[in-house]
Amino acid sequence: MEKKDIHAQVFVRVLARKPGWKEANFQVMGAKVQLVGILAEKAKFTTTTARYCIQGMVDKIGDIKSGAKVQEAMTAMAEATTLGFISLEAVKYAFDGQKNPKNQAEVLNWLAQGIQEFGFTTMTPKAYISYSKKALAAVNPQVRAAGISLLGVMYMYMGGNLRMLFEDEKAALLQQIDAEFEKMSGQTPPAPFRGLKKKGAAADGDDEEEGDDGDEDAEQAAGPGMNVVDLVPRTDISEQITSGLIGELNDSKWKVRGEALEKVEGILKQAKFITPNIGELPAALKGRLTESNKNIAKQAATICATIATAMGAPVKKHASTLLPGMLVLTSDSKPQVRATAVEAIKTWEEQIGLAPFIEDEILSTALGLNKPFIKIEVFGFLATTLVKYRTLPGDLALSVPHLFSSLEDRNADVRKKATEALPAFMMHLGYEKTVKMTGKLKPSSKTQVCSILEKERENIPAKPGKPASSKSGSKKDGSSASSPDEQTEKPAKTNKRPKTAPAKSESNSNSSAVSSAPPVNETAPPTGNGGKKSSKEKASQGVAKGKAGSKSIRKKKDEDEDTGPALIMNKGKDRRIRDEQDLKVLKWNFTSPRQEYIDQLKDQMENCVSKTMMTKLFHNDFKQQLIAINMLTECLDSGKEATIASLDLILKWITLRFFDTNTSLHIKVLEYLGGLFSLLGDEDYNLLDHEAHSFIPYLIIKVGDSKENIRKLTRIVLRLLTKVYPASKMFTFIMEGLKSKNSRQRAECLEELGGLIETYGLNICQPSPPKAVKEIAAQIGDRDNSVRSAALNTLVQIYLLINEDIYKYCGHLNDKDMGMLEERIKRSARKTAAAPKISPPQNQQKTDDKSANKAGKSGLPPGWRDAYRNPSKGPRPATAPPAPGKDLNANRPKVFSLDLDKLGLESTADNYSEPKLEDTNCVDDLLTKPIVMPQRRAQKPSTPNNMQLNILISQIASNDLAVCIQALAQLDEVLKLDDKEKVMGEHVDQLLVTTLIQLRMAFSKHMGDENSSKDVVRMYRCLVALLMSLFQCSELAQKASKEVLCDIINGLITALIDDRLMAFDEGPQVVRSVNVLMVKVVENADPNHALGALIKLLHECVAHDSNSPKFTQLVMKCLWRMVRMMPNVINQLKVEHVLLDIHLFLRAFPSSTWKERSTDVPLRTVKTILHSLAKILGNKVLNYFTLISNPKESEVESYLKKVLRSSSRASTGSLEQVNGSASESEQNNNPHQQTPMRSSPRRAARNQDLTIIFSKIGSKENTREGLAELYDFKLKYPEEDIEPFLKKTSQVFQNYIERGLRNIASERGDKGTISLSSTMTKSQPISTTASAPIINSMSATDNENLSMTAMRERLKVLRSQCGIDNAESSNNNPNATQQSGTDHQPPKEPLISLGSSSSNVQASQQQNASQDHNVEDLKKRLDRIKSSLKK
C-alpha cells in the first residue's frame, strides 16, 4: 500500500481509546508502540497525528520493558515530522504534565541522542533552556545528570555562549556543567544521518555531489546560517540608561564617573544579552575612553568589550563611535591599559569582523597618529587577524603608507611589529600592488622598504579557503545558508594557491606545505566555539595520515607539554616579603650561599616560572643557565608584568650566579640586568627595600671583579639602579663596600660615590655629610694607589660644592694625607681653569658599531651600551641616510633639535627666516622706534615622576637655603596641578618630614646668622606657602599621619614664639602667615590625627616643666578650636582613640596632683574635650572604652558619668557648654546650682530668659546684645536673683559682665549703676536706679575717671569683636590694672591671634597671673563648701 492509502490518524486514535496508553499488559502495550513506529515509517504521519500519541509515549518511556520500544517509536515520529516538534512536545509534557522523574530523565536522554542523530537545524534552543534549568533544579539526581548531559550535547552546537545562560546557578552545579563542557570541548558535532530524506524531498530531488557529503552534513549538524546568539532572549536596557546616568558619566569629578561606570557594568551583567538600543551610552563611553584618568579609561574599554559580547553582531552600528577611542587607548604608556584595549578590540572583531575597521577609515586614522605604542599594538593585532579573512575592503590600502613609515621607525618594537604584519597586507593587496605603492616614497626610503618587501615575500600566507555549505540548504533558505558576514564569498570546493606566492623549492618546501594546507578559520570567525571546532576539523583533513602522521602527532604532543610562558604572573610578592620580615623563611643575607637558601628559592619560584624554565634556571650546566637568561631577556618585552611580579626572585637567583666562576655567565647576567633596570625605569617602577637589600650588596661585590669588562658592566648597572631606587639609599650600600678587603672594590666604590655626589649634591651623603666625608677621607691613607686616587678625586668633587668647609668635614688628618689632599685640590683648580674643549674622537662611530654587533649577539637592542651610559641620548634610527637636498622639515629624527613635546612646549609650523638688518644711516629713526620684546612660549607644567619628586622633597632639607627655596617653589607648582592628589598622595608624610627638618635647621642654625636673614625670611615664606597649598587641599591634608602632624605642629608653634624671627624686617608678616597656616592645619587635617597630635603635645608640655608657657597656651588654643569643631566632625572622629589619649594623659597626671601646680588649665582643657563628647554623644560615649584595658579604674569613665548625671539634672546645661570654665566639683557641689527654681511658672519663664541672655553674652557675635538684655532685665526685675547663673562662670567672665553693665548705664545716662560681684549674696541685692546706689560717695573726679574707663573698655570690646589686637592699647593704658589687662576681652576669642613681641609675652604673663589668682580663690571656696557639707 502507498502512504496516501494508510490513514495513520485513524489507527492512532483507535489505539488511544480506553484503556489506551495505560494498558496494563506489557505485551499489548509493546505491540501498540511498535504499531505507532510502523505507521510513522510507512504512512503519512503528520504533527496532528503525533499529538494523539506523544503523551502516551512519554508516560511509558521510563518503563523497563517498553522504554526502548518507545524511544524507537519517538525517533520514527521525529523522522516523519521534525525533531524540533516531537522533542518540544515531549519535554513540555514530561515537566509540566506529569511528575515521574524517571520519565523526565529518559526524555532528556532521548533528546540528547536525537540531536546527534538529526542535527541541530530544527531546534529552537530558547524553548529548551527553561526546561534545562528545571532539570538542573530537580531533586532526583538522574534528572540532573540527564540535564547536564543534554547541555553538553547542545554545547557542541552552540559554543561558549551557552555557558552565559547558566551563570546564576549554584557554584557546585556550575562546576559539573563546566566539567561536561570541558569533556565536549574537543569534539566536533557528528554528521546527521536521520531526517535527510525529508530535506532531500524538499529540495526538489536535486542530487548532491558525493565528495561534499561529509562537509555538508557537518554544516547541517551545526545548523548552517544559524546565529546561536540570536536565539537567546535579549533585554532592552535603554530605559535604564537614563539622562542622570549619562550626566554622571560626563561629570567633572572622576569618582562620580567611576561610580557611573560601575552602574553600567551592573546593568550589563544583569542583562547578559541586550538589544542594540542602548540610548546615549556609546557617546558617553567615547569620552571616557580618551580621558586622562587611565583607570576609568581601562574600565570603559572593559565595558565596550562587554557590550560587544552582550549585543553580538548588531553592535556594528556603534563601531564608528567606540572603535576610535579603543584604538587610541592602545597608545597609553601603561601595559595593563594597552592590554585591556587590545582585548576589547579583539572582542569587537570577533563580533563584527574586520571590515568596519577598514571601511570607515578608523584603522588608517589611528595608525596616522605619531604614537609608537599604538602602532606596536595595532600592527601586532593585524598580523594575527588579517590572515583569517579571505577578502577585505579596498580601503585597506589607506593603511599601507603608515605601514611603510613604521618599517623605518626609530623604535625597534614598531619596526618589528610592522614587519610581522607586512605579509598579511601583501596577502590581501598582492605583492605587485604593494611594490607599486612604494613609488610615493622618497628614494632612500623606497630602497629600504623594497628590500624588506622582497625579504618578506616568502612569508606571504595563503588565503583562507571558502566555507562549504549545502546546496540544498541554500536553495531552501538563502538567508540561512549564507555566511553571516558579508565579507565571505561563495562556497568553493578547493583552495587555490595565490598567484603572488613564491615558487616551490627545496629550501622552502616546508613553508609551502604549510601555506597550501587547508585554512584555519573561515572568512568571518563565528562567535561560538562550535564553529571554531568545525573549522579545525576541516584543517585536520589536509594532514597526511598513517604512521608518519601519528609520529608527528606524538612528537607535537611531547613538544606541547610545556608551551606556556617562561614567567607566570604571580601575585605572591607581598606575602613573600611579609614572611621574610616575620622570620618565617630565611632572610637573604649570606657571605656564600648555602644549600638551604637555594632550596628555599626553588620553592618560592615553583609557582612563578614554567617547568622548563625552572629546570634551566637551576641546571648544573652553565649553558642551560645561559638559555634561561635568554628566555628572561625575551620576557622583558612579552612578559613585563610577570617580570615585575617576580622581580625579587629573579634578583635573588642572579645573586646566586654572582658566586659562580663562569665569566660568560656573569657578562650575560649583567647585560640582562641592564635591560631589566632600563625597563623598570621606563615603567616608573620603584625598587622595594626588600628587593634592594637582597641584591645590591652582592652587585657591589662584582664591581671589584678582576676582569675589566665585568667591572664596566657592573658600573652601568649601578648607574641604572638610580632610576628605580633612591640615590641616597644607594649611597649607604656603596659606603658599605668601602669596608671590603678587595682594593679594586674600594676604588670602584669611591668612584661611584664621587659620581653620585657630582650628580645629586652633598645632601645625598648618608647618614650625614660630615660622617660620610670623614669616612671617605680615611681612604687617603690606603696602601693601594688606585684607592687613594679615587678617594682624592671624590674629595675634590666635594670641595667644588662646599669649598674650604671640606677641611672641617674631613676631621683630623695626618700631615701626609692633608698634603696630598691640598695638592690634589690645587691641581684640580688649575685644570678647571685651563681645560680645553675636547672634540669627539673620530673612531667613535666604529666603537659604536662594534658595541652594536656585540649587543646583537647578546639579544639586546643595538646601541644599548651607549643608552645605558648616557640614557639622555637616543639611538640613531636604522634608516638610510637622507638624500642631498632633503627638506629640513622632513619626517626624520633631529638629533640636535629640541623635543618640544617632551619639554611641554607647543610646536608651530612657522618657517623662521633670517632677521633683516636695519639701515644704520638713520640713527634717530632707530632710537625713536618702540622696542619689541620677543614673546616667550609658555611652558606646559609637566607632572614629575616618583624619582623626581623624591629628589625635590629631599632638597627641602638641604643646608643650602637657595637649594631649599628652589625645591619649595617647584613643589608649590606641583601642588597647583589638577591631578595633585594623585601625584602627591603618597608623598605627604615625606614632604612634611623634610619641611620639619628645615624648620629645625632654621631654628638652630640659620636664625643666628644675621647675614642670612633675607634668605631665612624667604625660606619661611616659601615653606609656609607650600604647606598652605598642601593643607588647603583636604584630600592631601587628610593623609598626614598623627606622628608627622605632631612634629609639624611642634615646629610651627616653635616658629611662632621665636622672638628672633620678629627681629627681622619682615618677621611679623611671616608670623602672621604661620598663624593662618596653623588654623588651616587644625581645620583641614584628619580630625583624629590632629586631635591625637595635640593631646600628645599637651602631654609632653605638662611632662616637661621647662617648656615655654606660651607654647603650652598655643597648644591649648588649638585644642579649644578642635572642641568648637567637634560637632561638625563627630562622625569622622574615632572616639575610642580620643578617649585612650585622654586616659593616658589623666593616668600620667591625675586630677589630684594638679593642686600642687601653678595652673590647672591643661587639665580643664582635657576635661572640656570629655565634656563636649558627653554633650554630643550622650550616653553613647560610654560604649567607646574598647581600647582602655580597665575602664573602671580610669578617671575618664568616672568623669563622663558625672557629666552625664549632671546634664540630666541641670536645666541650664547649655550655659555650662558655653562658659564652662568653672571647675566640675564646684558645679556639682554648689548649693545655688541645685536650686530648681520651679516654685512658679513665672519664675521658670524668667529663668529661661536668663539662660538665653547668658548664652548671648557668651557668644562672640551677640555679646553686646546680651549685655543690653541683661541690663533691661535687671531694671524690670530688680529683685530677681541671678547668683546661680553667675556661679557657673569664672571670675573673669563676671568682671566682664560687670564692666559691660557699667558702660551701658553710662551710655544711657542712668544715675545708678548695676554692679555685680562674685562675692555677692542674696542679702546684698544689686542696686539699680530704683534702689540706693552702692557707689554713692564717688567724687566728681572718680565719676570722670569711671566714664573714661567705661569708654575705654567699650572701645576694647569693639576692637576685639573686629579682630583687632588689644595688646598694644592695653600696654599704653597707664590706669589699667593688672586685672583689667586680661578681663576686658570676651571669653571666646579667635584661636590664634598671637605674635612674638615682648609686649605680648608680658600680657600673657599678666593674664596667667590673674588666672592663677582666680583659681586659688575658687579652690578655697570649694574647700569651704566641702567642709560645710561634711558637717
Side-chain angles (χ1 to χ4, degrees):
M1 297 179 65
E2 297 182 358
K3 284 188 176 182
K4 62 181 180 179
D5 297 331
I6 303 176
H7 301 285
Q9 185 176 354
V10 176
F11 288 101
V12 171
R13 296 184 69 170
V14 170
L15 293 176
R17 298 186 64 178
K18 195 174 181 179
W21 308 112
K22 295 183 180 180
E23 177 66 47
N25 191 314
F26 73 92
Q27 294 178 344
V28 176
M29 187 63 200
K32 288 185 177 182
V33 171
Q34 286 181 348
L35 179 58
V36 171
I38 293 172
L39 290 173
E41 293 176 358
K42 303 295 184 182
K44 187 176 179 181
F45 205 86
T46 63
T47 56
T48 305
T49 307
R51 283 193 178 95
Y52 287 101
C53 57
I54 287 178
Q55 295 183 3
M57 296 293 177
V58 173
D59 287 333
K60 293 298 182 179
I61 196 172
D63 189 73
I64 298 176
K65 299 177 180 178
S66 305
K69 297 179 180 179
V70 170
Q71 292 185 13
E72 294 177 0
M74 290 180 65
T75 301
M77 292 165 59
E79 195 166 4
T81 56
T82 60
L83 177 65
F85 172 78
I86 300 298
S87 61
L88 185 59
E89 293 293 328
V91 171
K92 281 183 180 179
Y93 179 73
F95 284 91
D96 296 338
Q98 62 95 40
K99 297 181 180 180
N100 190 341
K102 191 170 184 180
N103 292 341
Q104 295 173 351
E106 291 299 330
V107 166
L108 294 177
N109 291 331
W110 169 80
L111 176 59
Q113 184 64 30
I115 291 174
Q116 300 180 60
E117 295 176 356
F118 287 84
F120 209 64
T121 55
T122 60
M123 305 294 292
T124 55
K126 183 177 179 180
Y128 296 92
I129 290 172
S130 59
Y131 292 107
S132 299
K133 291 183 177 181
K134 286 185 178 181
L136 295 177
V139 179
N140 193 291
Q142 294 181 356
V143 179
R144 293 199 302 271
I148 293 173
S149 300
L150 175 62
L151 291 179
V153 174
M154 294 173 67
Y155 175 79
M156 287 193 298
Y157 299 89
M158 296 180 64
N161 291 317
L162 182 63
R163 172 67 167 74
M164 300 176 62
L165 301 174
F166 296 90
E167 289 181 351
D168 297 334
E169 301 295 335
K170 296 180 180 179
L173 192 58
L174 278 177
Q175 187 176 2
Q176 297 179 17
I177 295 174
D178 291 338
E180 185 69 20
F181 287 174
E182 183 67 23
K183 185 171 64 176
M184 293 292 182
S185 61
Q187 300 184 18
T188 305
F193 57 88
R194 292 186 184 274
L196 300 179
K197 294 181 181 180
K198 189 175 183 61
K199 293 179 183 178
D204 297 332
D206 290 345
D207 295 330
E208 299 177 353
E209 297 182 5
E210 296 178 358
D212 294 338
D213 287 346
D215 290 344
E216 291 176 356
D217 291 344
E219 292 293 336
Q220 291 175 3
M226 180 185 62
N227 194 349
V228 179
V229 180
D230 293 337
L231 300 177
V232 296
R234 296 186 178 276
T235 305
D236 187 1
I237 63 171
S238 59
E239 296 181 356
Q240 302 181 50
I241 308 300
T242 61
S243 59
L245 181 59
I246 299 299
E248 292 178 1
L249 286 172
N250 297 324
D251 195 86
S252 59
K253 298 179 181 178
W254 67 269
K255 288 186 178 180
V256 177
R257 299 197 300 272
E259 292 174 357
L261 290 175
E262 292 177 358
K263 293 179 182 178
V264 174
E265 285 181 341
I267 293 172
L268 294 174
K269 184 177 180 181
Q270 184 179 4
K272 295 182 182 178
F273 294 98
I274 61 176
T275 60
N277 184 17
I278 54 177
E280 300 178 3
L281 182 60
L285 288 176
K286 178 182 178 181
R288 303 289 67 76
L289 287 170
T290 56
E291 73 165 66
S292 58
N293 191 321
K294 298 307 176 185
N295 290 329
I296 292 181
K298 182 179 176 182
Q299 190 176 6
T302 305
I303 291 176
C304 290
T306 306
I307 290 175
T309 305
M311 193 180 297
V315 79
K316 182 179 179 180
K317 65 181 291 187
H318 305 297
S320 59
T321 304
L322 296 177
L323 281 179
M326 287 186 282
L327 288 170
V328 172
L329 192 59
T330 58
S331 65
D332 192 79
S333 59
K334 296 183 178 179
Q336 299 88 346
V337 179
R338 297 200 303 272
T340 304
V342 171
E343 288 299 324
I345 292 171
K346 289 180 179 178
T347 304
W348 278 67
E349 182 269 332
E350 291 176 358
Q351 300 297 332
I352 65 176
L354 200 58
F357 289 77
I358 301 170
E359 291 173 346
D360 298 332
E361 299 185 7
I362 297 173
L363 188 63
S364 59
T365 303
L367 291 174
L369 300 175
N370 189 18
K371 296 181 180 180
F373 283 121
I374 194 171
K375 295 181 180 180
I376 294 172
E377 300 295 344
V378 172
F379 280 133
F381 163 73
L382 292 175
T384 57
T385 308
L386 287 174
V387 296
K388 299 189 297 184
Y389 295 87
R390 181 172 180 80
T391 58
L392 285 173
D395 290 344
L396 181 65
L398 298 176
S399 303
V400 174
H402 307 300
L403 177 66
F404 288 163
S405 63
S406 299
L407 292 173
E408 298 182 287
D409 197 272
R410 65 185 301 174
N411 191 306
D413 292 333
V414 175
R415 298 197 301 271
K416 178 181 177 182
K417 293 298 181 181
T419 305
E420 292 177 359
L422 183 59
F425 273 87
M426 290 192 291
M427 182 189 78
H428 288 279
L429 301 174
Y431 175 76
E432 291 80 5
K433 183 178 180 180
T434 309
V435 172
K436 287 181 181 180
M437 295 181 71
T438 60
K440 298 180 180 180
L441 298 177
K442 296 180 180 179
S444 59
S445 299
K446 180 178 180 180
T447 303
Q448 185 169 356
V449 171
C450 288
S451 64
I452 298 175
L453 291 175
E454 184 64 27
K455 182 180 178 181
E456 295 295 328
R457 184 177 183 181
E458 299 178 355
N459 299 326
I460 299 176
K463 285 190 176 183
K466 300 176 184 179
S469 59
S470 62
K471 295 181 180 179
S472 60
S474 62
K475 292 179 179 180
K476 179 180 178 181
D477 187 3
S479 61
S480 62
S482 61
S483 176
D485 199 320
E486 297 177 357
Q487 302 168 109
T488 59
E489 295 182 352
K490 295 180 180 180
K493 297 181 180 179
T494 59
N495 298 324
K496 296 182 180 180
R497 182 178 178 80
K499 297 179 180 179
T500 58
K504 296 183 179 180
S505 61
E506 295 180 359
S507 60
N508 61 356
S509 59
N510 295 332
S511 61
S512 63
V514 174
S515 62
S516 61
V520 177
N521 207 340
E522 298 178 0
T523 303
T527 57
N529 288 344
K532 292 183 180 179
K533 298 304 177 183
S534 62
S535 62
K536 290 183 180 179
E537 182 69 16
K538 293 177 184 179
S540 64
Q541 293 176 3
V543 181
K545 299 180 181 180
K547 295 183 179 180
S550 61
K551 288 181 180 179
S552 63
I553 293 173
R554 287 196 299 271
K555 183 178 180 180
K556 185 176 180 181
K557 288 182 178 179
D558 295 337
E559 292 176 354
D560 293 341
E561 288 181 358
D562 188 7
T563 58
L567 290 178
I568 302 172
M569 187 64 185
N570 189 285
K571 298 182 179 180
K573 182 190 291 187
D574 294 337
R575 183 175 181 180
R576 293 193 296 270
I577 295 174
R578 190 165 55 252
D579 290 345
E580 188 164 327
Q581 290 174 349
D582 298 340
L583 301 180
K584 294 182 179 179
V585 295
L586 293 174
K587 194 170 184 179
W588 200 260
N589 185 13
F590 48 77
T591 54
S592 61
R594 301 192 300 270
Q595 185 62 36
E596 52 187 341
Y597 285 99
I598 299 174
D599 295 339
Q600 174 180 300
L601 183 60
K602 285 182 179 180
D603 295 338
Q604 292 175 339
M605 296 187 74
E606 188 174 1
N607 296 327
C608 301
V609 299
S610 62
K611 293 182 179 179
T612 304
M613 186 69 172
M614 190 74 177
T615 304
K616 295 183 183 300
L617 285 173
F618 294 94
H619 204 280
N620 293 328
D621 188 0
F622 79 95
K623 295 181 180 179
Q624 297 296 325
Q625 295 176 356
L626 290 176
I627 296 174
I629 296 174
N630 288 333
M631 296 170 67
L632 289 174
T633 304
E634 294 174 358
C635 291
L636 295 180
D637 294 329
S638 59
K640 297 179 182 178
E641 295 82 1
T643 301
I644 295 175
S646 304
L647 181 61
D648 56 330
L649 301 178
I650 295 173
L651 294 178
K652 287 180 179 179
W653 180 81
I654 290 175
T655 59
L656 296 179
R657 303 286 71 79
F658 285 157
F659 289 91
D660 294 338
T661 57
N662 191 288
T663 304
S664 59
L665 181 61
H666 289 171
I667 293 176
K668 198 75 173 178
V669 164
L670 292 172
E671 289 175 350
Y672 168 73
L673 287 174
L676 174 64
F677 289 122
S678 295
L679 168 68
L680 296 179
D682 295 339
E683 295 293 326
D684 201 14
Y685 178 81
N686 289 331
L687 198 67
L688 302 178
D689 288 335
H690 168 77
E691 298 167 343
H693 283 277
S694 61
F695 169 70
I696 297 179
Y698 306 97
L699 177 67
I700 293 175
I701 295 175
K702 296 306 295 179
V703 84
D705 195 273
S706 59
K707 299 176 180 60
E708 174 60 25
N709 54 352
I710 293 180
R711 293 200 302 272
K712 185 184 297 184
L713 290 174
T714 306
R715 287 195 295 267
I716 294 172
V717 174
L718 284 174
R719 290 165 191 167
L720 287 172
L721 265 173
T722 57
K723 287 185 175 183
V724 297
Y725 196 63
S728 57
K729 296 182 179 180
M730 280 286 299
F731 193 92
T732 305
F733 285 111
I734 299 175
M735 286 293 292
E736 291 294 324
L738 297 180
K739 301 177 182 179
S740 173
K741 296 180 181 180
N742 187 342
S743 60
R744 292 194 192 92
Q745 180 178 339
R746 295 198 302 273
E748 292 291 341
C749 288
L750 288 169
E751 293 291 345
E752 291 298 325
L753 293 176
L756 290 176
I757 293 172
E758 180 182 3
T759 305
Y760 299 100
L762 196 60
N763 290 325
I764 199 174
C765 297
Q766 300 295 329
S768 65
K771 291 183 180 179
V773 174
K774 189 175 182 180
E775 291 186 22
I776 294 172
Q779 302 296 324
I780 300 177
D782 196 89
R783 296 180 181 178
D784 191 271
N785 184 36
S786 60
V787 177
R788 293 196 302 270
S789 179
L792 290 172
N793 291 336
T794 304
L795 291 173
V796 167
Q797 189 60 48
I798 298 172
Y799 172 79
L800 296 177
L801 298 175
I802 61 176
N803 296 328
E804 300 297 331
D805 289 342
I806 189 174
Y807 300 112
K808 298 178 183 178
Y809 287 6
C810 288
H812 178 70
L813 294 176
N814 56 43
D815 296 340
K816 180 181 178 182
D817 296 345
M818 183 62 72
M820 295 172 63
L821 177 59
E822 292 175 350
E823 180 64 24
R824 182 61 65 92
I825 290 175
K826 291 179 182 178
R827 274 193 293 164
S828 65
R830 290 196 296 267
K831 289 182 179 179
T832 305
K837 294 184 178 179
I838 301 174
S839 60
Q842 297 179 356
N843 58 352
Q844 183 177 0
Q845 184 66 30
K846 297 180 180 179
T847 306
D848 294 341
D849 296 338
K850 292 179 180 180
S851 61
N853 293 334
K854 293 181 179 179
K857 295 178 180 179
S858 62
L860 293 172
W864 67 273
R865 294 180 188 270
D866 293 333
Y868 297 159
R869 292 192 184 105
N870 192 358
S872 62
K873 293 184 179 180
R876 283 183 62 84
T879 59
K886 187 174 181 181
D887 185 11
L888 295 176
N889 295 326
N891 186 14
R892 63 181 176 85
K894 301 176 178 60
V895 180
F896 297 102
S897 63
L898 292 176
D899 194 342
L900 299 178
D901 295 335
K902 294 184 178 179
L903 293 175
L905 298 176
E906 296 180 358
S907 60
T908 59
D910 299 336
N911 294 324
Y912 298 103
S913 60
E914 295 182 357
K916 296 181 180 179
L917 299 178
E918 297 287 348
D919 188 5
T920 58
N921 294 329
C922 302
V923 179
D924 296 334
D925 296 339
L926 292 176
L927 295 177
T928 57
K929 285 184 178 181
I931 299 175
V932 180
M933 299 297 294
Q935 295 181 356
R936 290 187 59 189
R937 293 182 183 177
Q939 185 172 357
K940 300 177 182 177
S942 58
T943 303
N945 54 29
N946 287 332
M947 185 179 70
Q948 293 172 337
L949 279 177
N950 290 332
I951 294 175
L952 283 177
I953 293 174
S954 63
Q955 288 176 349
I956 295 177
S958 173
N959 290 326
D960 189 353
L961 289 178
V963 176
C964 173
I965 291 170
Q966 185 179 2
L968 290 171
Q970 293 179 7
L971 285 171
D972 194 24
E973 293 297 327
V974 173
L975 287 175
K976 294 178 183 178
L977 298 175
D978 295 336
D979 55 347
K980 56 180 176 293
E981 294 87 355
K982 181 180 178 181
V983 176
M984 295 294 298
E986 299 178 357
H987 301 274
V988 174
D989 280 350
Q990 182 183 359
L991 176 61
L992 293 178
V993 169
T994 53
T995 54
L996 176 64
I997 294 173
Q998 187 57 248
L999 283 173
R1000 290 175 178 173
M1001 282 197 298
F1003 182 81
S1004 60
K1005 178 181 178 181
H1006 301 307
M1007 295 295 291
D1009 188 1
E1010 296 180 358
N1011 297 327
S1012 62
S1013 60
K1014 294 183 179 180
D1015 292 336
V1016 172
V1017 171
R1018 188 180 175 195
M1019 183 274 296
Y1020 267 112
R1021 281 184 173 181
C1022 294
L1023 190 144
V1024 171
L1026 176 66
L1027 293 181
M1028 188 72 72
S1029 301
L1030 177 68
F1031 282 98
Q1032 280 178 346
C1033 179
S1034 59
E1035 185 173 346
L1036 292 177
Q1038 296 282 329
K1039 293 187 178 182
S1041 62
K1042 174 183 174 182
E1043 293 75 13
V1044 175
L1045 268 181
C1046 181
D1047 293 337
I1048 200 68
I1049 293 174
N1050 191 347
L1052 293 176
I1053 294 179
T1054 304
L1056 274 175
I1057 64 176
D1058 190 358
D1059 291 334
R1060 296 176 296 175
L1061 184 59
M1062 291 293 296
F1064 294 151
D1065 293 338
E1066 300 179 359
Q1069 185 177 357
V1070 173
V1071 170
R1072 286 192 292 271
S1073 301
V1074 177
N1075 223 355
V1076 177
L1077 174 60
M1078 278 295 302
V1079 176
K1080 293 294 181 183
V1081 172
V1082 174
E1083 288 181 349
N1084 294 339
D1086 189 340
N1088 299 289
H1089 298 166
L1091 189 56
L1094 290 170
I1095 295 175
K1096 182 179 178 182
L1097 276 178
L1098 184 63
H1099 192 141
E1100 294 175 356
C1101 293
V1102 175
H1104 302 88
D1105 296 334
S1106 60
N1107 283 343
S1108 170
K1110 194 169 184 180
F1111 186 95
T1112 307
Q1113 184 182 7
L1114 287 175
V1115 174
M1116 290 189 295
K1117 285 195 174 186
C1118 294
L1119 282 170
W1120 298 342
R1121 177 168 284 272
M1122 288 295 300
V1123 171
R1124 295 176 191 173
M1125 294 167 49
M1126 197 171 291
N1128 299 327
V1129 299
I1130 191 64
N1131 294 329
Q1132 306 175 26
L1133 210 59
K1134 296 180 181 179
V1135 182
E1136 58 272 13
H1137 292 277
V1138 178
L1139 295 180
L1140 177 62
D1141 293 337
I1142 297 177
H1143 166 71
L1144 298 176
F1145 181 88
L1146 293 177
R1147 187 175 66 180
F1149 314 107
S1151 300
S1152 58
T1153 62
W1154 286 90
K1155 296 181 180 180
E1156 304 172 359
R1157 297 179 179 267
S1158 59
T1159 177
D1160 62 345
V1161 180
L1163 175 65
R1164 286 188 284 161
T1165 300
V1166 171
K1167 288 192 175 182
T1168 302
I1169 300 174
L1170 293 175
H1171 190 274
S1172 300
L1173 289 174
K1175 289 296 182 181
I1176 297 172
L1177 297 175
N1179 292 327
K1180 293 181 180 179
V1181 74
L1182 300 177
N1183 299 330
Y1184 292 98
F1185 289 99
T1186 55
L1187 299 180
I1188 301 177
S1189 57
N1190 193 357
K1192 301 296 182 182
E1193 298 179 359
S1194 175
E1195 191 174 347
V1196 176
E1197 184 181 19
S1198 60
Y1199 181 79
L1200 286 175
K1201 290 182 178 179
K1202 187 185 298 183
V1203 172
L1204 293 173
R1205 287 197 302 268
S1206 63
S1207 62
S1208 62
R1209 294 196 304 267
S1211 61
T1212 59
S1214 60
L1215 180 63
E1216 181 180 348
Q1217 184 178 0
V1218 174
N1219 305 318
S1221 57
S1223 63
E1224 183 66 24
S1225 57
E1226 180 179 349
Q1227 293 176 12
N1228 292 336
N1229 298 326
N1230 192 350
H1232 296 286
Q1233 180 183 353
Q1234 299 176 1
T1235 305
M1237 299 184 184
R1238 298 176 183 173
S1239 57
S1240 65
R1242 184 178 301 174
R1243 175 64 61 83
R1246 293 178 185 176
N1247 290 340
Q1248 186 66 26
D1249 294 341
L1250 284 174
T1251 301
I1252 298 173
I1253 290 171
F1254 275 93
S1255 299
K1256 290 183 178 180
I1257 296 173
S1259 174
K1260 180 178 178 180
E1261 294 80 7
N1262 303 320
T1263 302
R1264 185 67 180 173
E1265 181 183 355
L1267 289 173
E1269 291 182 0
L1270 180 61
Y1271 187 88
D1272 295 337
F1273 184 86
K1274 290 303 298 179
L1275 288 177
K1276 188 175 181 181
Y1277 306 107
E1279 75 283 354
E1280 189 67 32
D1281 184 16
I1282 63 173
E1283 184 69 14
F1285 294 93
L1286 294 174
K1287 288 297 182 180
K1288 299 175 182 291
T1289 63
S1290 64
Q1291 186 65 34
V1292 177
F1293 193 73
Q1294 295 176 21
N1295 295 338
Y1296 172 73
I1297 295 175
E1298 185 174 356
R1299 287 195 306 273
L1301 294 178
R1302 259 196 242 113
N1303 294 337
I1304 295 174
S1306 62
E1307 290 174 0
R1308 297 185 182 182
D1310 293 340
K1311 296 181 181 179
T1313 59
I1314 298 177
S1315 176
L1316 301 177
S1317 176
S1318 60
T1319 59
M1320 187 180 299
T1321 59
K1322 291 183 179 181
S1323 60
Q1324 297 175 341
I1326 301 174
S1327 62
T1328 64
T1329 55
S1331 60
I1334 295 178
I1335 312 174
N1336 52 6
S1337 60
M1338 186 180 299
S1339 61
T1341 304
D1342 295 337
N1343 287 331
E1344 183 178 356
N1345 292 335
L1346 177 61
S1347 178
M1348 292 174 60
T1349 304
M1351 294 297 294
R1352 186 181 295 109
E1353 295 297 335
R1354 182 187 176 197
L1355 178 60
K1356 290 180 180 180
V1357 171
L1358 293 176
R1359 287 170 61 88
S1360 64
Q1361 290 178 355
C1362 296
I1364 303 175
D1365 193 7
N1366 285 320
E1368 183 179 357
S1369 62
S1370 63
N1371 290 334
N1372 296 332
N1373 181 16
N1375 298 326
T1377 61
Q1378 182 179 358
Q1379 183 72 20
S1380 63
T1382 57
D1383 293 345
H1384 71 276
Q1385 298 180 359
K1388 284 200 173 182
E1389 57 185 4
L1391 170 63
I1392 301 175
S1393 59
L1394 299 171
S1396 301
S1397 62
S1398 58
S1399 61
N1400 285 338
V1401 176
Q1402 293 173 3
S1404 62
Q1405 292 175 354
Q1406 293 174 1
Q1407 182 177 355
N1408 290 335
S1410 62
Q1411 289 180 355
D1412 296 343
H1413 179 70
N1414 295 333
V1415 171
E1416 291 298 331
D1417 292 340
L1418 291 174
K1419 288 182 178 179
K1420 292 179 181 179
R1421 292 181 59 197
L1422 180 61
D1423 294 338
R1424 289 198 300 271
I1425 293 172
K1426 287 183 178 180
S1427 60
S1428 62
L1429 291 176
K1430 291 180 181 179
K1431 294 178 181 180

